[in-house]
Every structure is written in structure tokens, then in C-alpha cells.
């Protein structure tokens, strides 16, 4: 079995290709195979296959492709006996295969062996040669889109790097003929690659063919001039000159005058950061004609310096000419940042340059510094940089040097000039546990694992805070971790982390970044402490601050560059809990109560009005919506223009809205409005626990407001939510309360909806006769109120209970009447339910073809509309019907799609569907 991604996407068994399918399905398979063995989130799959503008039905089309790929892999397993499958994990879809059966991964592993300096040159060259032979052509040939193009660009570069490394090893082994034989064809593919040309020139020189080497130089100079308008680079020009002057091989490098070793001690108790350490190693090991520069950026206290120094100590042996270090004090409140001239002078002194030879001007000092490092392998650590201007004079020019820069700023000026950005984020839970084990002992952590995890959460996964708490635990070994966790839990804000030393007091450390902000950015940061949710989008931030969106984007960029907030997704911002506590402290210290109240009003107004707009696009509103409290000055809703954007907005803001409905009593009107606008989305997505919490908050708010109709709304939908959890007594109590409140306020439509919900509850309890009576009462009330949308839903309910009672023909008649009304009103959600009811009645009559047609019509209406629970239920029932008719392939496909949706929703029915799939496979 082979997955081939070099060239056209293929799946081969015993050397023969299998039909993967359409180019789109090939793209789905390739999108999984490039990460074989690792989960790929569904959003990433959609982006890889469709790019930035996927169609509305992309998710459903993807499910279909995944189902067919699963069947293809089932066949592969049958043919080969080697397990191959696509599974759904919490983090995404996983292609469960040995990565080495994918040619792209095999190439990467061989290149890794070829770059292993512990192996012999001959073994390394052999590994690289095998990797290069596996190249069948440009990756993902025939696939289009930005992602495929990025993959091709990346792997062309890796192929080129591997070829250069192989050629250098062959020359070192005294085999120039191998280079001369293999590289001309590759150089023709990459006509502007100077490293390839340099290798060929050196190989020709080693073989005594200097004239040909000079000719190659002339040819590449012409190509570069015609294609780019430039001359060859310094390395190629120097090589050309050395060949002409007969100076190859080069003479031995002069011994350095001094080998500095300026690194401060490694951080005691350092743990975790494995991915970052690997990435630093990868960058340091890259071939380059310039020094490799890494910018480690992150928020205050996140451990940038600790990471840099730990890696520097581990890698020190790779820099035989020394390690230079300077703390630039870019964010040190005790004094001004170190001037570049002072830093360069310190480096020159470390390199044994006498005082009388150090030039006076910064430019001359930097020039001498670069000259001294020109032929050396030196590691330079520039810690705590304030900006790119402070760093530039300290950068060497030698390709053998590596520079690590740490900063709270992203230093985009350096990144755009070729530096590698490496964001240092908060520790994950496993890394944080490792830190605690290293600092206070594995036994104490193992003895109280729950308390250790609570400490990690209360420290917001911030290394600085963990270090403070770990130090306290080390000083008081008799204290249980649960005691320390309790102290943190009961502490107010950041008080529990306060320390005499400003360097270890998070409040003081945060202030060093905060005090450097523009006043408007500082105000926005303070207001973040009042925002209810875990993250915030740009439009909401603009309303929170009462500023135009353009101005807000500028301020958000300043806060992100200072790492006081993070931007985990484009246009969405977050800050960890300790920074949020710091922002809240500042807001209460520097903003008046009226200013704080106004900011919260603006934010909640933004969310309530946007949710109201978004809800309107989920399906046409078939009842009179409530009037919203007007927006306060300075706030405006987000721009929601269609169904897809409405769903995307709700998904993005879901967790924020759940926090928003927990607002203080003075915002009760907004809380109820938010609950009203959220309820339909939560039902469609199957977020039952969230729906219960939101409606409970709405009921409390409505009671405080003294509004009977608002209370009735909350009771009505809480009855439905309790019913889904099987809490029938609580559900019945809520529905009785709703009915009484609607009756007290003479709301006939509300009473009708309550009877319909009561019928649904009785249905779940198996009481079809009693349920029918309530459905008929709902129908009568809707007709009395001339509420046609409600009449349609009640007609379908009456029909449904007729078929449950064995009256299938009359059931179809009622549901057909419902469907006519729903089609006239544009009620696709209601029409979906009616088609399902009609299909079920036909199924009971034994008309399976008609039943399948009705279920498929219902699926057609619901797909892409966001009602995932309904879609999964229809897929499941249709699959059951296919199974009963003996069509196991169709049943398996339907169950796979239903299972994918239910897993995405973390729905408990996913396990039941999985059992059915297992039964089909085992049978």
C-alpha cells in the first residue's frame, strides 16, 4: 500500500493504482495524508479543499467524500490486511495509517536521517539519495487552490535543500562525479538556484574541469540578469573568483581571538516546550546565506527568556566560536532600554577587542562586530528587546551565526526582513504539570492531581504565576496542594501572586507593558476587563470602546504587538485570566462607575442586536419578534447578510453569549433579549445544556422585570429542554407555568405553542393518545388566532400522532395540509418535519420507495441550514431503512455521515450510531 502525493495523487496496492475519484476527493485524501496519523480539524479540511470561499454545502459535501474514502480504505484493508481508516477524533479527522506509506512523509524521514550529524557522511548521503529518488514530480499535481500551491512551494524548497545537502556530502566523500552526473538535470528545473550552481562549480573544479565551472558561472549570471535583473550573490561571485585565481580549496580558518561564553544559567525546573525547542533546532539547522534569526515573542511572564536560554545551553556545542548574550531591558521599569551602541561595545569587549580599537560611531562599531563574526559559528541571544531598531545593529552578517531575540513585541520589522517568528504561548496542561513536578517534586503532584490541575488553571497556565506558587509550595512542604489551590481560589484578583521582587510579581510585570501603551490602547485594554466572554471580535471591541472599527483595529494591533492580548484567529482576540484580572483592576481604578456601566451596555447591546439579526437568517420568523431595547450611542451591530454568516457568527460568539447572559441584574432586559435570539440556534445545534442555562438566566431576568410573557417564553422552552434530558416532571411543571402565564396575559398563540410542546413531551413518554388531544387543541387555538405558521406546525403534529396510533392514511392527509402551508410561507424547517412525518407514515404502510423519497426530500431541505441534530436524525433513520431493505452500503454511508455530525456536536447518540456501524462491519 502506497499513498503517492508527489506527482498526481494516487493510492496504490501491489503496485496498481486504485480509483480515488474526482479531483475534489483526491484533494480531501491529500489533505488528510499530509498529516497522516494526526487529527485535521474539519475547518482546516474545508480550507485546504475549497480555500477562503467554500460553498454553503461544503461541510456536507466533505462528509460525502469522507464516507467514500472510508469505503475505499475498507477495500484496501481487505486487499492487503493492513489497517487503513479515517476516524473522527475530538480534534478532527485522522487518516489512520503508518505515515511512512505516504511518499511525502517517507521523503521527510529520509531527509531527517540525512541531516543527522551523528551518522557517517556515507550513510547520510545514502539516505538523501534515496529521498531524492522518491520524487515523482511536483506534489499534488492536478489539484488547484492556494493550499495545494503552498504545499508545492514548500516541498520544492525541501527537495532543493536535500539536493544541496547531498551534493555537499558527496564532495566531502571525494565523489565529485556523482554530483556532476546528477545535478545538471536538477539545476535545469531550478535555473535560478545559486546553491546548486555553486555545488556544480565546486564539483567540476574537483574533477579538474575549471573551464566548465567558469562557463556555468557565466550562464547563471546571464539567467539571473534576464530573469531578475540581478547579479549572482556574494558566495557565487567569491567562488568564481577563487577558481579563476586557483585558490580552491580555501585555506584554514583563522582561530578566533576569543571564545565568549556569556549565557546566564539555564532556568532551574525548566520543562515542556518540546515543539518550540524542536522548531528552534530546525531553524538553526537550515542552510542559509545569511544568519538565521528567530524572534521569540509572547506576553509578560510566559517564559520567553527561559525558553531561549534553555535551548541555547542545549545547543551551545554547535557554536564552537562562542555565545554572546545581552539583556536589552526593553521593558524594564528600573531604567532605560540598553542603547545599541552600548550593547555592541559589550560584544566587542567579549571578543577581546582592545578599547583603543573600538570605533566611536555605532555604524563603525557594528561593522567591526560583523567583521569579527564573518567566518565564525556564534550564537547571539538578544533578550528583552523593545523594538526592531534596537536589534538591527546587533545582527551579525555571517551565515554560520544564529540569533535568538526575545521580546513582548512581535518585532514585525525584523520578521518582514526574513527573521523567523516563534510565538511563545501559555503552557498546555501537560507542560504545566511537568513544571510543577520539576519544581516541587513528582510525588506531591501525583498525590493531589486534581489540586495540581486547579492550581494550573488558577495560574492561567502562565509560567511566571506557576513559579510563584511553586516557590511557596517548596517553602512550605507541609502544605497540601489543595490548601494552596484554596488560597488562590479565594484570592482577590492578583493579590495572591504579589511578591516583594517586582520581577516575580505578575501585576508589576504586566505594568511594564501596559505603561508603554498609547492612552487609547490603554483604555481599550482596561475595558477588556469588563467584557463578559473568553474572546472578542473586532466589531464587539469597537462597541465596547464606543469607537469606529478602523480606529479599534489599530488599537487592537498595538495591544497584540505588545502581547497584552492574543489573536488566535483573524479578527478575534483573547487574553489569559490573569491579564483579564489585571485589566479589570485597572478598569475599576481608572474608569468611573458610569463609564464602566456604559461600556457594558454598549457591548451587550452589540451582542443582543447582532444575535437578533442573525436569528432572522436561520429561518424566516413565523411569529412576531419582541422589540429590542435601542442601541446605546457608540454601539452598532455586526453586519449579518445571509444564512451562512449568521451561523458563522453564532458559532464564533457562542461561548461569549453564554457568559453575556450571566450579566448583572441591571442588564436584565438585555439578558432576556439575548436568550430569545439564541434559543433557536442552540436548539438547532443540539446544545441542550447551554440552552437550559440560557433559559434559566432568562427566566430569572424576566421575573425580576415582572414581565409575564417573558417568563412564559422561558418556561415554554425550558419545558422542551427538560424533556430532552428525560426530566418529565420538571418539563411538565414548566409547561403548566407557561400555559398559566400566557392565559393570564391573553396570549392565545403562546397557549397554542405550549399545547404543542406538551404534545411533544407526552410523545416522548409514549402517551400518543393524550399527545394527540393537546396537538388538536393547539391546532384549534392557532386557527382561532389566524396564526398560519402555527397552524401548519400543529397540522403536522396531529398527523404525526395519527400515524403513531396506526391511522397512516389520515396522518398523510394532515401532514400534506401542513406541507402546503409551510411551502406557501417559506417555512423550510417546518416543511422538513412534515416531509419526515409523511415518510414515516409511508414506511409504516410498507411503501419503502415513497418513504425513502420523503426522507431524502427532508434531508435536501435541512442540509446546509445549520440544524445539525435534525440532519443527523434524518440520516440515521434513512440509514436504518436502507439496512432493513438490505442495502448495507447505503446504510453505512448514512450512519457515517450521521456519526460525524453527532461527534462534532459531542452528542450522546454518536455511540449508538457507532454500534450500528460496527454491527454492519462485523456482519
Amino acid at each position: 500500500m502506497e499513498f503517492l502525493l508527489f506527482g498526481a495523487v494516487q493510492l496504490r496496492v501491489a503496485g496498481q493504482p486504485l480509483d480515488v475519484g474526482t479531483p475534489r476527493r483526491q484533494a480531501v485524501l491529500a489533505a488528510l495524508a499530509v498529516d497522516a496519523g494526526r487529527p485535521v480539524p474539519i475547518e482546516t479540511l474545508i480550507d485546504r479543499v475549497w480555500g477562503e470561499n467554500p460553498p454553503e454545502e461544503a461541510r456536507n459535501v466533505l462528509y460525502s467524500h469522507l464516507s467514500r474514502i472510508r469505503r475505499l480504505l475498507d477495500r484496501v484493508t481487505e486487499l492487503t490486511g493492513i489497517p487503513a481508516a479515517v476516524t473522527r477524533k475530538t480534534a478532527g479527522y485522522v487518516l489512520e495509517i503508518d505515515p511512512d506509506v505516504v511518499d511525502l512523509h517517507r521523503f521527510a524521514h529520509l531527509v531527517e536521517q540525512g541531516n543527522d550529524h551523528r551518522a557517517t557522511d556515507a550513510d547520510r548521503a545514502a539516505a538523501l539519495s534515496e529521498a531524492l529518488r522518491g520524487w515523482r514530480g511536483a506534489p499534488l499535481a492536478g489539484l488547484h487552490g492556494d493550499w495545494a500551491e503552498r504545499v508545492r512551494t514548500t516541498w520544492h524548497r525541501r527537495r532543493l535543500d536535500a539536493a544541496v545537502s547531498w551534493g555537499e556530502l558527496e564532495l566531502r566523500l571525494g565523489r565529485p562525479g556523482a554530483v556532476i552526473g546528477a545535478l545538471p538535470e536538477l539545476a535545469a528545473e531550478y535555473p535560478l538556484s545559486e546553491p546548486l550552481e555553486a555545488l556544480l562549480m565546486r564539483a567540476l573544479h574537483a574533477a579538474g574541469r575549471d573551464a566548465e565551472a567558469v562557463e556555468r558561472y557565466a550562464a547563471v549570471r546571464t539567467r539571473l540578469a534576464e530573469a531578475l535583473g540581478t547579479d549572482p550573490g556574494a558566495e557565487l561571485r567569491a567562488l568564481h573568483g577563487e577558481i579563476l585565481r586557483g585558490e580552491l580549496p580555501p585555506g584554514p580558518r583563522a582561530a578566533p581571538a576569543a571564545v565568549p561564553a556569556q549565557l546566564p544559567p539555564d532556568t532551574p525546573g525548566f520543562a515542556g516546550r518540546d515543539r518550540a525547542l524542536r522548531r528552534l533546532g530546525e531553524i538553526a539547522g537550515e542552510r542559509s546565506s545569511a544568519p538565521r534569526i528567530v524572534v521569540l515573542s509572547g506576553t509578560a511572564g510566559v517564559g520567553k527568556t527561559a525558553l531561549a536560554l534553555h535551548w541555547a545551553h542545549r545547543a551551545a556545542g554547535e557554536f564552537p566560536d562562542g555565545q554572546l548574550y545581552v539583556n536589552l531591558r526593553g521593558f524594564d521599569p528600573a531604567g532605560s532600554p540598553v542603547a545599541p551602541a552600548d550593547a555592541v561595545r559589550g560584544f566587542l569587549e567579549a571578543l577581546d577587542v582592545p578599547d583603543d580599537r573600538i570605533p566611536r560611531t555605532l555604524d563603525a562599531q557594528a561593522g567591526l562586530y560583523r567583521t569579527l563574526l564573518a567566518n565564525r559559528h556564534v550564537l547571539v541571544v538578544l533578550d528583552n528587546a523593545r523594538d526592531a531598531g534596537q536589534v538591527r545593529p546587533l545582527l551579525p552578517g555571517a551565515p554560520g551565526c544564529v540569533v535568538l531575540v526575545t521580546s513582548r513585541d512581535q518585532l514585525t520589522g525584523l520578521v518582514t526582513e526574513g527573521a523567523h517568528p516563534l510565538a511563545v504561548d501559555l503552557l498546555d496542561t501537560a507542560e504545566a504539570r511537568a513544571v510543577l513536578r520539576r519544581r516541587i517534586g513528582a510525588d506531591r503532584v501525583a498525590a493531589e492531581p486534581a489540586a495540581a490541575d486547579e492550581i494550573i488553571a488558577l495560574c492561567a497556565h502562565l509560567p511566571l504565576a506557576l513559579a510563584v506558587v511553586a516557590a511557596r509550595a517548596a517553602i512550605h512542604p507541609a502544605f497540601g496542594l489543595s490548601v494552596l489551590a484554596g488560597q488562590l481560589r479565594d484570592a482577590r484578583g492578583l493579590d495572591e501572586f504579589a511578591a516583594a521582587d517586582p520581577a516575580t510579581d505578575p501585576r508589576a510585570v504586566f505594568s511594564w507593558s501596559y505603561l508603554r501603551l498609547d492612552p487609547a490602547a490603554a483604555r481599550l485594554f482596561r475595558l477588556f476587563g469588563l467584557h463578559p466572554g473568553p474572546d472578542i471580535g473586532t466589531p464587539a471591541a469597537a462597541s465596547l470602546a464606543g469607537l469606529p472599527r478602523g480606529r479599534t483595529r489599530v488599537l487592537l494591533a498595538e495591544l497584540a504587538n505588545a502581547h497584552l492580548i492574543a489573536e488566535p484567529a483573524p479578527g478575534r482576540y483573547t487574553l489569559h485570566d490573569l491579564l483579564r484580572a489585571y485589566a479589570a483592576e485597572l478598569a475599576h481604578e481608572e474608569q468611573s462607575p458610569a463609564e464602566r456601566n456604559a461600556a457594558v451596555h454598549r457591548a451587550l447591546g452589540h451582542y443582543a442586536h447582532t444575535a437578533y439579526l442573525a436569528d432572522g437568517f436561520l429561518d424566516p420568523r413565523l411569529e412576531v419578534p419582541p422589540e429590542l431595547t435601542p442601541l446605546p450611542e457608540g454601539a452598532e451591530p455586526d453586519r449579518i447578510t445571509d444564512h451562512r454568516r449568521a451561523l458563522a457568527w453564532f458559532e464564533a460568539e457562542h461561548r461569549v453569549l453564554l457568559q453575556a447572559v450571566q450579566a448583572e441584574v441591571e442588564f436584565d432586559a438585555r439578558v432576556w433579549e439575548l436568550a430569545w435570539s439564541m434559543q433557536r440556534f442552540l436548539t438547532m445545534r443540539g446544545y441542550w445544556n447551554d440552552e437550559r442555562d440560557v433559559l434559566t438566566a432568562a427566566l430569572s431576568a424576566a421575573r425580576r422585570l415582572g414581565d409575564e410573557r417573558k417568563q412564559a417564553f422561558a418556561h415554554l422552552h425550558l419545558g422542551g429542554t427538560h424533556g430532552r434530558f428525560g426530566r418529565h416532571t420538571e418539563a411538565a411543571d414548566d409547561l403548566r407555568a407557561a400555559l398559566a402565564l400566557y392565559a393570564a396575559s391573553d396570549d392565545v398563540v403562546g397557549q397554542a405553542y405550549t399545547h404543542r410542546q406538551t404534545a411533544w413531551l407526552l410523545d416522548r413518554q409514549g402517551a400518543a393518545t393524550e399527545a394527540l388531544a393537546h396537538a388538536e387543541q393547539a391546532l384549534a387555538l392557532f386557527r382561532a388566532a389566524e396564526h398560519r405558521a402555527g397552524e401548519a406546525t400543529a397540522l403536522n403534529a396531529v398527523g404525526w400522532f395519527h400515524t403513531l396510533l396506526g391511522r397512516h392514511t389520515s396522518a398523510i392527509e394532515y401532514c400534506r395540509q401542513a406541507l402546503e402551508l409551510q411551502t406557501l410561507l417559506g417555512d423550510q424547517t417546518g416543511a422538513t418535519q412534515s416531509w419526515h412525518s409523511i415518510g414515516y407514515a409511508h414506511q409504516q404502510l410498507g411503501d419503502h420507495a415513497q418513504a425513502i423519497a420523503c426522507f431524502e426530500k427532508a434531508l435536501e431541505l435541512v442540509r446546509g441550514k445549520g440544524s445539525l441534530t435534525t440532519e443527523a436524525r434524518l440520516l440515521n433513520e434513512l440509514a436504518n431503512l436502507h439496512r432493513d431493505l438490505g442495502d448495507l452500503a447505503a446504510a453505512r454511508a448514512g450512519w457515517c455521515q450521521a456519526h460525524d455530525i453527532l461527534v462534532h456536536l459531542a452528542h450522546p447518540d454518536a455511540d449508538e450510531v457507532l454500534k450500528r456501524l460496527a454491527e454492519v462491519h462485523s456482519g
Side-chain angles (χ1 to χ4, degrees), residues 634-826:
E636 62 179 55
D638 210 342
R639 301 180 183 96
I640 308 294
T641 56
D642 57 35
H643 180 272
R644 183 176 64 83
R645 287 183 175 84
L647 276 178
W649 185 86
F650 269 123
E651 287 288 6
E653 303 292 354
H654 178 198
R655 295 297 160 196
V656 178
L657 298 176
L658 294 180
Q659 294 295 320
V661 296
Q662 305 301 325
E664 299 291 334
V665 171
E666 60 195 289
F667 305 109
D668 276 341
R670 284 294 188 218
V671 166
W672 188 89
E673 292 166 2
L674 279 167
W676 186 91
S677 297
M678 293 170 65
Q679 185 272 326
R680 186 155 56 165
F681 166 76
L682 296 172
T683 298
M684 290 169 64
R685 280 306 205 229
Y687 297 147
W688 313 132
N689 286 303
D690 294 342
E691 184 178 18
R692 178 198 58 209
D693 294 344
V694 166
L695 290 169
T696 300
L699 179 59
S700 298
R703 283 171 173 162
R704 288 190 293 267
L705 292 169
D707 190 310
E708 290 184 338
R709 286 190 178 182
K710 286 182 169 60
Q711 293 176 55
F713 165 85
H715 276 301
L716 169 63
H717 291 287
L718 269 172
T721 306
H722 286 312
R724 290 187 184 93
F725 286 115
R727 298 169 184 162
H728 299 141
T729 301
E730 294 172 65
D733 289 344
D734 274 309
L735 292 173
R736 279 193 294 271
L739 194 60
L741 288 163
Y742 279 131
S745 56
D746 295 324
D747 188 334
V748 175
V749 172
Q751 294 174 61
Y753 274 119
T754 307
H755 279 294
R756 194 195 65 174
Q757 191 79 295
T758 302
W760 174 84
L761 178 65
L762 290 166
D763 180 18
R764 291 180 69 88
Q765 296 172 270
T769 301
E770 294 89 338
L772 175 59
H774 280 279
E776 289 173 336
Q777 195 165 357
L779 178 58
L781 289 169
F782 279 127
R783 282 175 169 167
E786 298 183 352
H787 193 284
R788 304 198 73 193
E791 179 184 350
T793 64
L795 281 166
N796 177 56
V798 170
W800 174 252
F801 295 119
H802 269 267
T803 202
L804 291 184
L805 293 168
R807 307 165 193 166
H808 308 305
T809 303
S810 62
I812 292 172
E813 177 59 31
Y814 275 110
C815 295
R816 287 284 180 189
Q817 292 179 47
L819 189 59
E820 288 177 12
L821 265 178
Q822 288 156 344
T823 303
L824 182 67
L825 296 169

Side-chain angles (χ1 to χ4, degrees), residues 6 34 104 107-108 111 135 138-140 146-162 190 279 286:
F6 290 140
V34 296
L104 181 145
F107 181 98
V111 169
W135 182 276
L140 312 186
D146 292 343
W147 173 72
E149 193 55 44
R150 288 196 302 271
V151 170
R152 282 189 280 274
T153 300
T154 297
W155 284 92
H156 274 299
R157 184 171 62 249
R158 292 186 180 183
R159 179 197 187 196
L160 197 55
D161 290 344
Y190 303 98
R279 181 60 184 144
E286 289 178 357

Side-chain angles (χ1 to χ4, degrees), residues 350-651:
L351 293 166
D352 272 358
V353 178
D355 285 349
D356 58 356
R357 287 190 55 210
I358 296 178
R360 292 184 179 180
T361 67
L362 175 59
D363 286 345
Q365 291 171 354
L368 176 58
Y369 163 67
R370 284 191 287 270
T371 299
L372 290 171
L373 298 189
N375 293 312
R376 301 188 187 186
H377 291 74
V378 173
L379 173 62
V380 182
V381 180
L382 306 176
D383 194 15
N384 198 14
R386 179 170 184 175
D387 52 40
Q390 190 186 23
V391 169
R392 284 193 185 95
L394 309 178
L395 300 177
C401 293
V402 170
V403 183
L404 296 187
V405 185
T406 74
S407 180
R408 296 187 189 182
D409 190 273
Q410 294 176 355
L411 302 186
T412 52
L414 293 182
V415 173
T416 56
E417 294 170 14
H420 298 269
L422 185 57
V424 183
D425 208 343
L426 300 172
L427 297 169
D428 63 30
T429 301
E431 291 175 324
R433 285 197 201 105
V435 168
L436 287 180
R437 284 194 294 268
R438 291 288 297 274
R439 287 180 174 270
I440 65 175
D443 291 344
R444 291 183 74 182
V445 175
E448 297 182 85
D453 285 350
E454 186 177 7
I455 287 172
I456 290 166
L458 293 168
C459 289
H461 294 245
L462 188 71
L464 175 63
L466 280 169
V468 172
V469 176
R472 188 178 308 159
I475 293 171
H476 302 288
F479 285 14
L481 296 187
S482 58
V483 174
L484 293 172
Q487 291 175 349
L488 291 177
R489 194 187 318 118
D490 298 337
R492 182 180 177 83
L494 297 170
D495 291 344
E496 198 63 24
F497 299 99
D501 182 357
T504 57
D505 184 339
R507 189 183 280 110
V509 172
F510 296 158
S511 73
W512 305 341
S513 294
Y514 169 73
L515 294 173
R516 296 181 185 276
L517 293 173
D518 173 88
R523 172 180 175 269
L524 179 57
F525 175 72
R526 295 194 296 271
L527 295 182
F528 274 3
L530 307 176
H531 182 256
D535 60 354
I536 189 170
T538 303
S543 288
L544 178 69
L547 294 172
R549 292 185 188 179
R551 174 60 175 152
T552 303
R553 287 191 187 93
V554 173
L555 301 178
L556 289 168
E558 181 178 347
L559 293 174
N561 285 336
H563 282 288
L564 284 168
I565 61 174
E567 189 178 9
R572 293 204 71 80
Y573 300 88
T574 186
L575 64 168
H576 63 70
D577 289 346
L578 297 184
L579 270 172
R580 186 183 300 278
Y582 179 59
E585 284 184 2
L586 293 172
H588 283 80
E589 290 171 3
E590 301 190 33
Q591 311 293 148
S592 70
E595 289 171 330
R596 296 197 300 272
N597 196 56
V600 176
H601 266 298
R602 288 193 299 267
L604 293 179
H606 163 86
Y607 287 122
H609 280 255
T610 309
Y612 181 90
L613 291 173
D615 175 73
F617 282 104
L618 298 185
D619 224 2
R621 286 199 179 106
L622 303 176
E623 55 191 78
V624 179
E627 289 188 13
L628 298 187
T629 308
L631 272 170
E633 185 178 354
E636 62 179 55
D638 210 342
R639 301 180 183 96
I640 308 294
T641 56
D642 57 35
H643 180 272
R644 183 176 64 83
R645 287 183 175 84
L647 276 178
W649 185 86
F650 269 123
E651 287 288 6

Side-chain angles (χ1 to χ4, degrees), residues 27 80 91 111 130 148 165 254 259 282 295 301 316 332 344 420 511 539 570 588 663 677 765 775 792 797 814:
T80 65
V111 169
E130 184 180 349
S165 296
V259 179
E282 290 169 0
V295 176
D332 191 337
V344 172
H420 298 269
S511 73
H588 283 80
S677 297
Q765 296 172 270
Y814 275 110

